[in-house]
Amino acid sequence: MQKSLRVVGDGEKFADLVITVNVGQENECIYLIELKYVTKTDATEAKIQNTIKDATAQVQRYKSAIEFRDRQIKAYAMVFVGSECVHCG
């Protein structure tokens, strides 16, 4: 699900995927996933590395959202070239 987040200094942003596990329990965990795609024809090493850098920075900004304050967040940036995931971290 896409979720609107209030990021301090950045205003309203939209995460690609937010999954909450064990809602309302002591061990509640939120998974925040940012997805990026590079076409095979555009997939130079430089383009892939820039996309990874951008996705990682974006997910780090989203982790600081007001909605996530004092909550356990696991955040991932995933970059695909065609149907192949070339980065998940």
Side-chain angles (χ1 to χ4, degrees):
M1 124 175 135
Q2 191 177 49
K3 179 172 177 56
S4 171
L5 304 170
R6 291 171 289 154
V7 179
V8 177
D10 270 348
E12 186 178 43
K13 299 294 180 183
F14 293 90
D16 288 333
L17 188 60
V18 178
I19 302 168
T20 305
V21 179
N22 300 324
V23 177
Q25 297 181 22
E26 188 175 305
N27 63 342
E28 178 180 282
C29 182
I30 298 171
Y31 293 88
L32 170 63
I33 302 169
E34 183 62 31
L35 303 167
K36 297 290 184 195
Y37 178 80
V38 178
T39 63
K40 287 184 179 184
T41 55
D42 291 340
T44 64
E45 188 60 34
K47 174 73 172 177
I48 293 169
Q49 291 306 314
N50 281 337
T51 304
I52 291 169
K53 180 181 165 187
D54 291 345
T56 302
Q58 195 170 357
V59 83
Q60 290 303 315
R61 279 195 315 275
Y62 291 168
K63 276 180 68 174
S64 70
I66 294 168
E67 292 84 355
F68 297 147
R69 192 168 287 151
D70 300 324
R71 298 175 82 185
Q72 181 180 346
I73 307 296
K74 295 186 180 186
Y76 300 93
M78 297 178 73
V79 176
F80 290 83
V81 173
S83 61
E84 180 184 355
C85 183
V86 296
H87 176 80
C88 181

